Amino acid sequence: MKKILLSIICIVGVSISADKTSTFDVKGMMCGGGCVKKINRAMDSIEGIKSREVNFEKSSMVVIYDDKIVNDKMIIAALQENNYSCSLKEKPKKDSGIMSFFKNLFN
């Protein structure tokens, strides 16, 4: 019975959580103020993006988004439309609070 209950909880947790975190290299930023604001506005216009953090000094951006609504290619295209060169820095990571809980529980 416990195994069935745990299985159901895991399945529900995976289906509910569809958030991914991706880090992008962003080229073409000339200033820490206006360029960052322009990129933030571009990201805010995309449905499904939950949060974004643009770092001028590192020429990077970290985006947390719902991968059922938006994907990396859409994010890259939005920046390219705003005259910034953008590429995926690392593979997207699934964020799942429930899965992390169970991994920590059984480790």
Side-chain angles (χ1 to χ4, degrees), residues 29 36 53-62:
M29 290 190 284
V36 170
E53 182 178 337
V54 180
N55 187 313
F56 172 72
E57 290 79 20
K58 294 181 180 179
S59 296
S60 68
M61 175 177 67
V62 177

Side-chain angles (χ1 to χ4, degrees), residues 5-20:
L5 183 59
L6 284 176
S7 297
I8 291 171
I9 291 171
C10 286
I11 291 169
V12 169
V14 169
S15 65
I16 291 174
S17 178
D19 291 352
K20 280 191 176 180

Side-chain angles (χ1 to χ4, degrees), residues 11-95:
I11 291 169
V12 169
V14 169
S15 65
I16 291 174
S17 178
D19 291 352
K20 280 191 176 180
T21 302
S22 293
T23 302
F24 298 89
D25 285 320
V26 181
K27 304 295 180 205
M29 290 190 284
M30 300 296 187
C31 59
C35 293
V36 170
K37 286 180 185 177
K38 186 175 179 181
I39 291 170
N40 284 335
R41 279 194 307 269
M43 294 299 100
D44 290 343
S45 71
I46 301 172
E47 184 181 351
I49 292 185
K50 299 195 174 181
S51 71
R52 77 286 184 271
E53 182 178 337
V54 180
N55 187 313
F56 172 72
E57 290 79 20
K58 294 181 180 179
S59 296
S60 68
M61 175 177 67
V62 177
V63 182
I64 299 173
Y65 57 96
D66 184 338
D67 68 345
K68 292 180 180 177
I69 300 172
V70 68
N71 60 42
D72 294 329
K73 290 179 183 179
M74 294 168 72
I75 294 168
I76 291 169
L79 284 183
Q80 290 174 340
E81 288 174 12
N82 284 280
N83 299 319
Y84 296 100
S85 173
C86 181
S87 61
L88 190 60
K89 191 171 189 174
E90 58 186 23
K91 291 181 100 178
K93 299 176 192 171
K94 277 268 191 191
D95 290 338

